Amino acid sequence: IPPKLGELNGTITVSYRRNLAADDVFVGVQRSTNLQNWSFGGTTPVSETHNGDGTATYTWRSNSSIGAEEREFLRVLVIRP
């Protein structure tokens, strides 16, 4: 299931579903204002909802209000170390 973008209290949000048994991967949310430089800073977790099927849905939000930056992007990064 691809991540979903949304809005919460004037900030951009991203939600993604994760298999709770997949403990061999790192999942993080990154933010950018130019699509070239990405950072793990500038976002805050909002919620974690267990779906009852071995997955959970996580929602993160930007720390910047919509319109505070000319452009703003969020992405979900999945890494298998």
Side-chain angles (χ1 to χ4, degrees):
I1 299 175
K4 290 184 181 178
L5 292 176
E7 181 270 336
L8 175 68
N9 298 327
T11 63
I12 297 172
T13 63
V14 63
S15 299
Y16 62 91
R17 196 169 186 164
R18 179 178 181 175
N19 182 336
L20 296 172
D23 56 4
D24 61 341
V25 296
F26 168 81
V27 181
V29 174
Q30 291 185 314
R31 179 181 174 274
S32 174
T33 56
N34 60 18
L35 293 176
Q36 293 178 356
N37 301 309
W38 292 90
S39 169
F40 286 107
T43 61
T44 301
V46 174
S47 65
E48 175 181 337
T49 305
H50 290 259
N51 299 312
D53 60 358
T55 67
T57 301
Y58 298 87
T59 299
W60 288 66
R61 69 168 179 83
S62 168
N63 293 341
S64 297
S65 297
I66 293 173
E69 302 283 346
E70 185 176 336
R71 296 179 184 180
E72 182 177 29
F73 307 93
L74 299 180
R75 73 177 179 186
V76 177
L77 181 68
V78 180
I79 300 172
R80 189 172 192 184

